[in-house]
Amino acid sequence: MEKVFGTHLFPDLSPLTTSSSITPLFPVVQSPTRQALYDLILTLIQDEESYQNTLGLVTELVPEGACSPDRSWGISNASKDYDYSVIWNMDRSKIIRSPTGYVGLKNLSNTCYLNSLFTQLFMNVGFRTFMLDANIADGDGSQRLLSETKKLFAHMQDSLQKMVDPKDLADSIRTYENEQIDVTVQMDVDEFYNLLFDRWEGQILSREAKQTFRSFYGGQLVQQVKSKECPHVSEREEPFSAVQCDIKGKATLQDSLKAYVEGEIMEGDAVKRTCLKDVPNNLMFHLKRFDFDLVTMQRSKINDFFEFPDEIDMKPYKIDHLSQPGVESSEDVFKLVGVLVHSGTAESGHYYSYIKERPVASSHRNAWVEFNDADVSEFDPGKIPEQCFGGFNESTPGLHQLRFHKVWNAYMLFYERRSTLDEEEKFYMTIPPTYPTKTPVPTDIGNYIALENELFIRNYCLFDPVHPPFIRSLVEQLRHMNKGLCSEDHGVEQAAISLALEHVNQILSRTKDIPDFDSMMGQLMRIIGSCAECCKLTLDWIITHPSATRSLLLRHPLQKVRQDFTKMIITALGFLRRMDPQLYGPELVEAELPVAEWTNSDAAFQQVLNTLLQQWTNIDVNIRSWEDYFGLLGQMAALGTAETAAILCAGLLQRCLEILTVEGGQRPNNQVRLLRLLEKGRKPNYTQLIKLVRDLLLRIDLRHRPVAHEDERAVLPISEKSPLTESESSQLRMEQPKVRTLVLLSKMIDCTHNVAASSDIIKMMLQAEPELDLLPAIYHTIMSGISIDPASMAVPYLDAALAFCKYTPRAAEAKEMVARTARDVETIDVQGGHENLHFFYSLLDVRNNNLDSDVLGYRYLVLENVQFWAPPLLLYWEEKVRSDTVVVLKSLIFVHGIPVNTESPRLSTAIERAAKLLGKSCVKHIQNKYLAARITVEAKTVREIVDTTRNCMEYFSANASPDDERDLLAFEVALQQLDALMVEEGDDAVSEWDNDDSNVASESDVDVDGI
């Protein structure tokens, strides 16, 4: 079994050495073969000893998170430098080297210019060999760039990963001002090329090596000046690294080179021209596609068509030919081997490269590759004209044919002398062939990469789709050992549980679409629910692996993973609480036990709580996990009184209040990061946080004088409610500067994330009066929100106002709150109609036990203010709000008949008076909105207010006084004028006030509970 495992599935890592080259040991990577080997191992497990041996073999594959001193996939003899970071949503097909055999380069932000140039240079095998052979004497200092280039080229050649990170190389490049390049700012690739080669040359030690380095891409040109009146020619030699080619007004590379050597006429009829003298084997052309407009003072890009050949003879542009054009000379042919493309505008864009593979075997001749940052793929050179020449792009012929400039076109061209290419091909045929072509790498770097590759392939195999089912089957066999009974020391159970949890944390939860996560979590839940000791082992693993809690509860991007991890913890705690209270915590039945007996305990509950508290430093940067983190704490508090007391004594209430008040006047230093995120517009979900605060406050006696510290609460019996601490009381009382509103209360109301819990907190605060002495501040905070104009913005404060009305110990503030809300309904716009109606409908059933109903009857308050809140809702744009308002008015007023008949004379008088005031207000709204401006209106839009007005008129007709008769006449006139402005409806409207009771809408017909 061990041989099968260690030879074919997961070979041991090679020993780390610098004295000789490491030959990497790789496993079988084909999934079907690995599946067969896994099945064989499971078959070979016959007893507890073989089972334990197998567990030991597999356990070594996965590190123990942050607890391991070496984060290198469980291999103790590996250097800590060999670290492979596992990403979320892992798709192993996207982490391995491209099928082309080449690796890409990671884009650090805006470093496509660097990546596209480095891939061109790397694919020049001669240049690559030179850089890998470079003599490094001070790799961490004066030769750092050269050293990092050496490492990067070695990784680009030998790494098995999809891409290499060039961060260390980028960090080593200094500008001409001796500053580190800014990877967030894109550079012009031609300017970067000159900077890079200048920095490289400055770090090469010997003169001979410098000359060799210059010879790769550097040549000599001659600047000539010749006068027509004098045969003398003035010459000046200059080095060059890339031929600068004008493309404006030029159709081809040959046209540009011809103009390059023909020169220009100067003053006095002298001619100045540039000729090539020494042309290197590797020739680069910089196509000058960027121009500067002196009129607009802006850069622009020239996207004109510019053709370049697959081969070009440079003889016509060299000084020997130009000086003696009649003398025969041999051709100097260069072949195209690379195109560096720019796509975009002069101000923003993207660089990538097309590169010819060379030298290669004849079977791969004329093979091209596209390097686009991390992505590497095959490229058809037949598409070069379409992808690189620029010019116009013709759309598909049709009715709307368009022509537009291609913004993607060649920016740098790379050619190599044909004779040099032929020599490289001949040399390639004399050595053992490799594909892609490789060149020797220094032993120390090569061994580093070899071990890194072994670790990478091990990780690649751990994410093989056949590996998780093997682990699940292995864990399942735990129940078959000892006829389903746990071992006496639970050693084998501990190993199996740890193995399962490590795989959940580091593999199953990180695989794309988490296909095996559910099945393994189900397996763990069955183990948890079968044995108290196994349950405790699961919790112990969580306690000793805080990094796993951070990953699975806070950092994981999938809510399902976070929720399932939370469920596992709560299930384990609940099971242990029932089955083995001694392992769970101190005696639960002892109500007079001091809380300190819990907080000082090393039992399961307190240790899990401590583990969660360790994560507090990361809570501000993991906002999306608040629902899960605070939800878990809330579920732990719900386990019992002792648990809530322990959470209180851990200072959680104070911490939660700090988060909710972080945007207030007093900003704690430990919440600076959170404050910055909030200021940038991040919007956390506060639902579970507010619920946790509510649940903790239920264990607080707000009437009690605050204590100085949590320690003073710890000595109190578990059964006794605790006082606030002074710091908690300060957070509760914190006011916003200038406006003097309570920061905590405003935050809970404004976010609207947990209205029920927020209302409960208001209830507790009001019930603690007068000792708490916050009634004026609570009233002022809610009224400040209610008074916001327009009223639709006050919607979040309506539920708070309901809670205030229900629990306030004083009537005056409640009366003013209802009256102000009623008057503000007039200002609502497209939002808030439903919520405002809900407020007044709910008030009808509110009973305040703190007050005598004769002192404060909310039905009377709703009636007293009906003329303010009802008419705007009867004219609201949403038909549902209008019809629901009719139902509320019917139950409030019209259901009692005429004359009004109720058990209370006081109520009857109030109803009659309200009906008359409502009628007058309805007519006033009709006059102001429609009659004064003579605005036409659809009949269905005003149906509810017209019907309501007519029903109110009946209260004027009964025992009408002269004043009532005048009002009735005014009503009739207004309704007749409105009728003249009505336009026909598309369908006949059914009146809510039809005399047939069967057609009258009732509360059962309308969603009044949702009002």
Side-chain angles (χ1 to χ4, degrees), residues 116-134:
S116 58
L117 179 61
F118 263 84
T119 49
Q120 292 281 359
L121 300 175
F122 167 80
M123 291 294 280
N124 183 335
V125 176
F127 185 78
R128 184 199 313 173
T129 302
F130 173 83
M131 298 302 280
L132 288 172
D133 287 341

Side-chain angles (χ1 to χ4, degrees), residues 497 501 528 533-542 568:
I497 290 170
L501 287 167
I528 289 171
E533 187 64 37
C534 290
C535 183
K536 179 64 163 58
L537 289 172
T538 302
L539 292 173
D540 285 344
W541 186 92
I542 294 170
M568 184 179 71

